[in-house]
Each structure stands twice: as structure tokens, then as C-alpha cells.
Amino acid sequence: MVTTDATVADTELTAVIHQGLTARKLLPAEHDVDAGYVTAAHIVTARNEYGIELVGPVGLDTCHENHEGEHFTQSAFTVDWQARKVICPEGKISASWSDQRKSSQTPVARVHFTAQDCGSCPVREKCTKAANGKWGRSLTLLPRGQQEALEARRREQLTDEWQQRYNIRAGVEGTISQAVRRTRIRRTRYTGLPKTHLGHVFAATAINVIRLDAWLTETPLGETRTSHLARLDLAA
């Protein structure tokens, strides 16, 4: 369990969680998380460094150039990683490939097509609105391993098989919901992270006891809250 300031993004904790599980020798074969904990880099790192299959949805393949109607997303382009070239749906070859870094220091490749090729393209309206006079459509690619992992996950998460596999996450969300309702865990009663973390540990322990009680008494989880309150009233 990790307790952080509210400003810390979920993506910053994926590696921390895996490191903690490694130290305790509790690494799972599959780690099912929500979208906030998944990036292409996390998928690759979890698989290569920890032997974990990180299962969670990634962002859809979209095109910022044209949000209305049919448009060519990045998956419509063919990447030749060896030649450092990209081929568009109409067969045009990119004119520029430059290695750069995002503000987060993530390495990316910025690819451009010429304004001449894009300007005379019969399907330009489905692809780009670039009008800077030099370049037409542009693409931003992650390092090859990450880009391929991202595209593979985008294809997988659209299948029924992947959706059924990911259904197990509903149990996790149910546990979180129960913790929020029963312990009001989204607001801390304490000052400082150490005390707040201890409160989280107590909350998790309480939920474990409540669920163990429900299992021993064969109480359906949906009735756990009502039944538990009833027992408290009788005890009072």
C-alpha cells in the first residue's frame, strides 16, 4: 500500500508498486489495474523487468488534426523502423524523422510529411489541416518497443476476450467502493502522510475483517453493509 500527496499522478506509482512487490516477493503473474496506471512504457517494463503482464486499458488511437467524421489515425500509417520512414495510407513517404524528448523526458520520434504531398492529397480532409507552409501531416512515435506494445494493447482491448479477462477488475473497484463508503478513506482525519498511511492500513484491515465475516456467514457482498450495521445496532 502506498500513500502519497493527492497531486501525485497514478502513472508515477506503477513502478513503485512493482518494486515494493518485488522486495516482498509477492510479484503476480498478472497485474490488473485501471487506466491511470498504464502507459506503453509500463507495459514493456513490467514484462521485461518483472515478468508481469500489466493488464489495463490504454488511450484510444485518435487524431488531433480532425475530430469530426472519418479520419486517419496513427494506426493507418506504416512505420519502417529500420529506414526511419513512415508511409501514409496514400503511399507517400515521410520527409523528416527527428529524435526528440517530451517535457517529461520521454524519448519520441517526430515524423513529418511535406506540405506539397499533403496539399495535393485527395484525402487530405481525412488526415490533416496543417497549414504552416513547410510540413503536412505529422506523427509522434514512442520508442519502437513501446509503440508496438501500445498498438497491440489498443487492438486487444477491443476484443471480447480481453474484456472478459479484464472483468476481474470489477472486484477491485468493488473493494475500493466499499472502503470509501465504510471508512471514508478519500478524506484523511490526520495530519501528515505517515499518520494518513497508518489510517489507510487500518481501513484496509477493517475491510478485510468485514469481508472475512461476510464469507464465514455466507452473506452476499451486496448485503454486507446492511447486515454489519444491523449487528452493530444489536450489540449496542
Side-chain angles (χ1 to χ4, degrees):
M1 179 182 294
V2 180
T3 301
T4 69
D5 291 327
T7 55
V8 176
D10 292 344
T11 52
E12 298 178 50
L13 297 178
T14 307
V16 174
I17 292 170
H18 289 165
Q19 290 164 8
L21 291 172
T22 299
R24 298 173 63 189
K25 297 182 180 180
L26 293 174
L27 278 176
E30 179 176 305
H31 188 187
D32 299 273
V33 299
D34 67 26
Y37 294 88
V38 186
T39 66
H42 288 145
I43 294 173
V44 174
T45 300
R47 186 179 300 155
N48 294 345
E49 295 189 14
Y50 299 102
I52 298 174
E53 186 65 24
L54 186 64
V55 179
V58 297
L60 299 177
D61 185 3
T62 58
C63 173
H64 69 277
E65 301 278 7
N66 185 356
H67 290 289
E68 298 180 1
E70 181 184 358
H71 60 266
F72 293 132
T73 60
Q74 195 159 282
S75 61
F77 294 74
T78 302
V79 181
D80 185 335
W81 294 97
Q82 296 296 329
R84 292 165 61 91
K85 297 286 185 181
V86 176
I87 303 172
C88 81
E90 289 295 297
K92 300 296 183 180
I93 300 175
S94 61
S96 171
W97 177 302
S98 61
D99 295 324
Q100 301 178 13
R101 285 187 179 273
K102 298 168 66 175
S103 58
S104 61
Q105 297 306 304
T106 301
V108 295
R110 188 72 170 169
V111 180
H112 295 282
F113 289 83
T114 65
Q116 181 178 2
D117 283 340
C118 293
S120 59
C121 180
V123 293
R124 173 184 170 85
E125 292 303 315
K126 296 181 180 180
C127 189
T128 182
K129 294 181 179 179
N132 60 13
K134 182 178 181 180
W135 302 118
R137 176 67 185 265
S138 64
L139 301 174
T140 300
L141 304 175
L142 295 169
R144 183 173 183 175
Q146 296 181 26
Q147 187 67 40
E148 291 178 344
L150 179 63
E151 293 172 356
R153 176 56 52 83
R154 282 171 171 166
R155 291 191 297 269
E156 290 170 354
Q157 66 190 35
L158 296 177
T159 65
D160 291 337
E161 292 79 8
W162 192 91
Q163 292 291 339
Q164 292 174 4
R165 179 185 183 185
Y166 191 60
N167 279 344
I168 192 174
R169 179 67 194 178
V172 179
E173 297 297 336
T175 302
I176 294 173
S177 175
Q178 187 177 29
V180 170
R181 289 183 286 105
R182 296 303 306 276
T183 70
R184 300 180 181 178
I185 200 171
R186 294 206 186 280
R187 288 182 177 273
T188 181
R189 301 176 177 87
Y190 314 104
T191 301
L193 286 180
K195 290 182 179 179
T196 299
H197 176 69
L198 183 60
H200 288 169
V201 172
F202 287 153
T205 302
I207 293 302
N208 285 338
V209 171
I210 292 170
R211 290 206 157 199
L212 178 61
D213 173 74
W215 180 72
L216 291 173
T217 58
E218 299 183 351
T219 303
L221 289 179
E223 299 176 12
T224 300
R225 182 174 186 274
T226 302
S227 299
H228 186 72
L229 289 177
R231 284 195 294 277
L232 287 177
D233 290 340
L234 289 173

